[in-house]
Amino acid sequence: MTNHHWLFSIKSVQKEFGLSTLLVVNDFNALAMALPFLNQQQKYQLGTGHAQENVVIGLVGAGTGLDVSGLIRANDSWTALDSEGGHTSFAPRSTRETAILKYALQIYDHVSSERLLSGAGLQLIYRALATDQNIPSEDIDAPEIMARGLANACPLCRAVLDTFCEVLGTVAGNLALTLGAKGGVYIGGGIVPRLGEYFNHSGFRERFEQRGRFTDYLRQVPTFVITEPFPAFTGISVILAQNAWQQSITWSDCDSQYRLVVTQFCASEKVTSFLLSGPRLMSATRDNEARFPNKILAEFPDQRRCKAVT
């Protein structure tokens, strides 16, 4: 794992627990699979454009790292892309971003977009701008940079947030062009929701559209900010449903023929409450129809591990 020290074997885990099926899903792949099923209360549109139906959808999200994915429609189902787009090379679009790149190249052999569009990236931008402007910087973390910037209490922190939103707009626009994402580009991750209304008035959308001869093209591509707290659970349900359908198994057969288990290590009580409230797992049938059942059995063997079992 790029940003974690964990190593494990899928086959060994499956064998140890006696599982006939074990699906290990990247969290951003699960988020991507949720996108077609998000309603208007779980997202909002930023800027112009109209999403076309059943065409490619893009997804980008900044948090611990920069995640990039997309959805492609084929054979009446969606396929999420296993992308490492966050590690593509950072391309500056302004003199300020050029100064940041020059600073970062003194530290890294390769400066990816993730180096800027992440929690650690906010700190990197902060130090780079302080060096470029020849002003003293403090040893502050990403949450503090965000807090000061949003309160407009520190011009340098405000410039960090401006830069972050503009660079994210560049990356999102590049993704839309690369994938032909006329179904829209969705913004996930943990940072943008914390920016709140500030993000809506930032340079994100302007930078997204600024593409010379293809500006008109990108004006027609909508961008959506995901507001649903736990959208990956919906994506997991879709993945489970597709897997069950591929094996010609109905949910009514699950008790006797097939058991699908999703294990999620819960970091907060919010996730536990979400599961207890009855997350909707999508059902699948042999004729590939899909619907949401009314409820799911949720089991909690302890406070740190939650099991959702259908």
Side-chain angles (χ1 to χ4, degrees):
M1 297 186 181
T2 307
N3 295 313
H4 208 285
H5 64 276
W6 285 354
L7 295 171
F8 68 95
S9 165
I10 297 175
K11 289 184 178 179
S12 296
V13 173
Q14 183 175 350
K15 181 179 179 181
E16 180 175 349
F17 289 95
L19 302 175
S20 59
T21 299
L22 173 61
L23 305 178
V24 178
V25 181
N26 178 279
D27 61 341
F28 223 65
N29 276 28
L31 176 56
M33 293 298 289
L35 299 183
F37 305 96
L38 298 179
N39 59 40
Q40 297 305 313
Q41 287 70 48
Q42 297 169 308
K43 65 180 180 182
Y44 69 87
Q45 182 172 343
L46 179 59
T48 60
H50 178 73
Q52 298 183 21
E53 295 184 1
N54 297 325
V55 296
V56 179
I57 300 173
L59 173 63
V60 60
T64 304
L66 177 64
D67 292 310
V68 175
S69 185
L71 280 182
I72 295 178
R73 184 77 172 177
N75 298 324
D76 296 324
S77 64
W78 292 98
T79 299
L81 300 177
D82 288 322
S83 170
E84 292 294 347
H87 299 288
T88 55
S89 300
F90 165 60
R93 292 282 307 278
S94 66
T95 55
R96 181 166 65 184
E97 292 171 15
T98 299
I100 295 171
L101 177 60
K102 288 181 178 179
Y103 176 87
L105 282 172
Q106 300 175 42
I107 306 171
Y108 306 108
D109 293 333
H110 173 247
V111 180
S112 65
S113 297
E114 182 178 86
R115 294 296 188 189
L116 279 70
L117 298 179
S118 59
L122 292 175
Q123 294 176 290
L124 175 64
I125 296 172
Y126 175 81
R127 296 192 302 269
L129 293 182
T131 300
D132 181 60
Q133 299 175 27
N134 197 26
I135 59 178
S137 62
E138 301 177 50
D139 185 17
I140 55 178
D141 59 12
E144 182 63 22
I145 292 172
M146 290 180 62
R148 294 186 188 184
L150 291 174
N152 211 9
C154 169
L156 184 58
C157 293
R158 191 76 169 189
V160 171
L161 298 188
D162 290 342
T163 303
F164 174 89
C165 294
E166 291 167 5
V167 174
L168 183 60
T170 295
V171 170
N174 287 345
L175 180 64
L177 289 174
T178 302
L179 296 182
K182 295 183 179 181
V185 175
Y186 285 73
I187 308 301
I191 294 180
V192 168
R194 294 179 182 142
L195 296 178
E197 192 64 23
Y198 168 84
F199 183 74
N200 300 339
H201 299 286
S202 71
F204 166 81
R205 181 68 196 191
E206 180 180 0
R207 182 66 73 83
F208 176 87
E209 296 178 1
Q210 269 183 0
R211 217 52 59 129
R213 293 171 294 172
F214 271 76
T215 295
D216 288 340
Y217 179 98
L218 286 179
R219 282 176 182 159
Q220 301 175 52
V221 177
T223 48
F224 300 97
V225 177
I226 300 171
T227 57
E228 164 59 40
F230 307 110
F233 283 107
T234 299
I236 289 173
S237 74
V238 177
I239 293 170
L240 290 173
Q242 288 187 355
N243 182 266
W245 174 77
Q246 288 169 0
Q247 299 190 37
S248 298
I249 295 170
T250 67
W251 290 103
S252 61
D253 297 330
C254 285
D255 288 340
S256 59
Q257 298 183 25
Y258 195 68
R259 171 170 282 193
L260 300 175
V261 180
V262 180
T263 302
Q264 171 71 30
F265 289 90
C266 301
S268 69
E269 293 182 359
K270 291 182 179 179
V271 180
T272 303
S273 299
F274 175 79
L275 284 173
L276 284 173
S277 68
R280 299 176 300 175
L281 285 191
M282 178 169 277
S283 65
T285 62
R286 289 188 177 89
D287 59 1
N288 200 28
E289 294 179 351
R291 62 185 182 278
F292 284 106
N294 294 327
K295 62 181 179 179
I296 177 178
L297 173 64
E299 297 178 355
F300 300 91
D302 56 56
Q303 293 181 351
R304 293 187 57 83
R305 176 177 293 181
C306 307
K307 284 186 177 180
V309 182
T310 61

